[in-house]
Every structure is written in structure tokens, then in C-alpha cells.
Amino acid sequence: MTAETAERMEDAIVRAAETTAAQVRTARGNISTVIFGQQSVIDRALITVLSGGHALLVGLPGLAKTKLVETMGTVLGLDARRIQFTPDLMPSDILGSEVLEEAAGGRRAFRFVKGPVFAQLLMADEINRASPRTQSALLQSMQEHHVTVAGETYELPRPFHVLATQNPLEQEGTYPLPEAQLDRFLMQIDVDYPDIEAERKILFDTTGSEESRPKQALTAEDLMAAQRLVRRLPAGESVVEAILQLVRSARPGAAKGELSGAIAWGPGPRASQALMLAVRARALLDGRLAPSIDDVVALAEPVLKHRMALSFSARADGLTVEKTIAALVKPIG
């Protein structure tokens, strides 16, 4: 490759990044006209989708988690569906099942009827209310983007993203997500109460004669182009080293000082991959062509907190995962 060709390719990437960044910022603005006071949640949800991953939305009922997913489906031009997880939900209720049909000539054959998982944006509402058997039905689809029923493999639509919700307080009648499934979520997004000005907007917008409606800003093809662009954005050596240092320091025996022995289990290489994609997506969302150390610091908690746990003694001393990550981030910040 000649220097001239390389320069032309670099110019093409820059132009594509500028165009895509403008589209993504428009999408963010359109979502914000419907979802008030949750800008950080909106940004992290968009970063997750731009990274090609899945997110776990953790928050109390009534904080617009369901509405956020519905709004994102409209704004991003995706086929969005919702599954309400309950203890009696079966894997076939998610994946689909085979039904026996009889043709006009009397011939019988099985036909596969697709379940709600065959969507581009799937909301798994209160995912921890379903049994482990049903939760595991999402594992293959989340990781491999296809499902297998009766020995036949069926490809899922592209793009495919799962945004699952979970109530952090109510634990009666729930089944905690296993570590293997938690690791398949690119990040955990905590949804908190809105401030007073945002809640004032919510009151006027949702109790009046007309409610704000989201407008489409992207198509599925635009989103997939943006996802491909995210993977092409360059990451400097300092950013790569910061990601490696942070993730490796969050593993048992790696932390030093007061945190020594505090971590029971920590993140694997999938966390490094998630953080690398997420910082690139955050840079694109801000209109930048390369991520920085600040992006690593900003996304460390949502990417790592569901991928690690503290020892009993650390928890007895009042240490939390959030405080631990904040301490691990200090040397690179």
C-alpha cells in the first residue's frame, strides 16, 4: 500500500466518522426529547448498541427503562420486541417452537414458528424472574446470534441486541443471573431517580393532552455501518495499556495495598474486549476520532462492576464494588 493510498483511506474514515457521529448525536437528541433526566443512561445504552453488545439496565420500577428501549427501537429504526419474564416462562416462549401442520393432501410436517427473540432489539423485562433454564435460552442467542431448535439452527436478524432490566431491591421469587450470563452483557447500566427539573418535565409531558413522540434518526443499515466504523477507530497505545492495567488489576491477587485480598473473582478477557469497544463508541458519540484515557475512566464502572465480586471480609469491612473500581481507576486517571 502506497502512502497516497493510505492517506485516501484515512480521509475516507475521517469523513465517514464525521457523518456517522452527526447521525448518532441526532439519535441521542431524539431520545432525550422523550426520556428526561437520564442522559448518562441514554449515552451508555447507545454506546452498548454502537459496540454491538447487550446491556443490563438495573433500577427501580417506574424509571423509564421500558420506555427507553421502546424509544431506542423507534429512533434507531430497529424491530423492537419485549418479553416479560415470569417464573413460568419456558425457553420455547422465547425461542419459538415447532408445530405440526397438515397440508391439503393429508401430508403432515413440522413448521418452526419463530419466537420474540427474532428481533433486532429485544427487551428482556425483569430477566431475573425467569428460571435458570429459561435464562440460559438467551445465552446462545446473545453470544452467537443464532438459536438451535430440534437440531436446526436459525440465524437471528442483524443487528441483534438484548437490553434486559432488573430490579435491584426485590429478590423474592427471583433467580440471580449466573456469572456466565452476566459476562455476556457488555455493561451494567444503573438507572437512578431523575432530578427535580427532569421530573418537572416528566409531569408536564406525560400528563398533558399530547405526549412527546420519538422520531427516527437511523436505519438498521446505518447502525451496522456505525458499528463497523467503531471497530476501525484507532486506539492509542496509552489507551490499550490503561485498559489492560485496569482489567488485570481487578482480578484476585492482582490488586495491591488495601485492596489486596479484597477481590474474590474478577473480569476475564471479555471485559477487556468490551472496554476497548465501548471507549471507541464513546469517542464516536462525542464526535472524536479516537478514544482517550478519560473514556476508560468513565466506562470502567459499568463495564466491570457485574464482572467481579468481593470477598466476605471486604464486604464486612464496608467495601463495595463501586469503591473498589474507583480505587483501581486512580492510578490510570
Side-chain angles (χ1 to χ4, degrees):
M1 182 186 296
T2 65
E4 184 179 351
T5 303
E7 187 175 350
R8 284 201 302 269
M9 288 183 63
E10 185 176 339
D11 289 342
I13 293 175
V14 170
R15 288 194 299 272
E18 290 174 347
T19 302
T20 302
Q23 291 178 318
V24 171
R25 285 197 298 271
T26 300
R28 176 168 60 178
N30 289 0
I31 296 173
S32 300
T33 62
V34 179
I35 307 297
F36 305 112
Q38 301 287 5
Q39 195 58 56
S40 175
V41 174
I42 293 171
D43 288 350
R44 289 177 177 180
L46 280 174
I47 288 169
T48 299
V49 173
L50 286 171
S51 302
H54 316 285
L56 182 64
L57 300 169
V58 178
L60 295 172
L63 296 181
K65 299 186 297 296
T66 302
K67 191 169 186 178
L68 171 65
V69 180
E70 293 173 352
T71 302
M72 286 183 63
T74 300
V75 172
L76 300 179
L78 302 179
D79 173 26
R81 298 185 186 181
R82 176 176 176 266
I83 302 174
Q84 181 65 52
F85 279 67
T86 57
D88 60 346
L89 194 73
M90 298 297 290
S92 59
D93 296 327
I94 298 174
L95 305 180
S97 58
E98 289 191 318
V99 295
L100 184 62
E101 290 186 335
E102 184 172 346
R107 183 181 177 185
R108 295 179 179 181
F110 283 100
R111 179 174 65 89
F112 178 65
V113 178
K114 294 180 178 180
V117 75
F118 287 86
Q120 294 173 317
L121 184 64
L122 178 67
M123 181 178 187
D125 208 357
E126 294 187 296
I127 188 173
N128 58 330
R129 288 200 174 278
S131 67
R133 180 185 178 188
T134 302
Q135 290 175 9
S136 66
L138 277 179
L139 284 175
Q140 184 184 25
S141 58
M142 289 173 64
Q143 185 64 29
E144 302 176 20
H145 290 197
H146 65 251
V147 299
T148 303
V149 178
E152 291 292 329
T153 299
Y154 302 91
E155 295 293 330
L156 293 172
R158 296 298 179 100
F160 174 72
H161 303 283
V162 174
L163 297 182
T165 69
Q166 184 173 301
N167 184 339
L169 295 183
E170 190 175 2
Q171 299 301 323
E172 185 177 351
T174 63
Y175 302 85
L177 294 175
E179 290 77 11
Q181 185 155 338
L182 283 173
D183 196 32
R184 281 167 171 77
F185 289 102
L186 186 132
M187 68 171 71
Q188 175 180 318
I189 304 173
D190 292 335
V191 186
D192 207 349
Y193 294 109
D195 59 35
I196 187 169
E197 290 304 319
E199 196 157 357
R200 192 190 309 276
K201 289 182 181 179
I202 294 171
L203 282 177
F204 284 108
D205 186 76
T206 59
T207 62
S209 58
E210 292 186 7
E211 189 174 343
S212 297
R213 301 292 180 186
K215 297 180 180 178
Q216 184 175 342
L218 296 172
T219 64
E221 290 72 22
D222 293 332
L223 178 59
M224 288 189 288
Q227 292 171 345
R228 290 191 294 269
L229 180 62
V230 164
R231 291 178 173 269
R232 297 175 65 188
L233 292 182
E237 188 64 29
S238 61
V239 173
V240 176
E241 288 302 318
I243 291 173
L244 289 172
Q245 177 185 336
L246 175 62
V247 174
R248 294 181 67 83
S249 68
R251 294 170 183 168
K256 300 177 182 178
E258 296 180 355
L259 298 180
S260 178
I263 301 174
W265 56 269
R270 192 178 279 137
S272 303
Q273 296 169 333
L275 198 50
M276 175 67 88
L277 289 171
V279 297
R280 288 170 169 169
R282 187 174 189 263
L284 183 65
L285 190 61
D286 289 344
R288 293 177 281 115
L289 300 181
S292 66
I293 300 293
D294 291 339
D295 296 317
V296 179
V297 173
L299 295 175
E301 183 179 316
V303 171
L304 296 181
K305 69 182 304 181
H306 60 295
R307 290 184 164 99
M308 56 189 298
L310 303 182
S311 63
F312 175 79
S313 59
R315 286 183 277 118
D317 291 338
L319 191 63
T320 63
V321 172
E322 292 82 359
K323 291 178 181 178
T324 302
I325 295 174
L328 296 174
V329 164
K330 280 185 179 179
I332 68 171

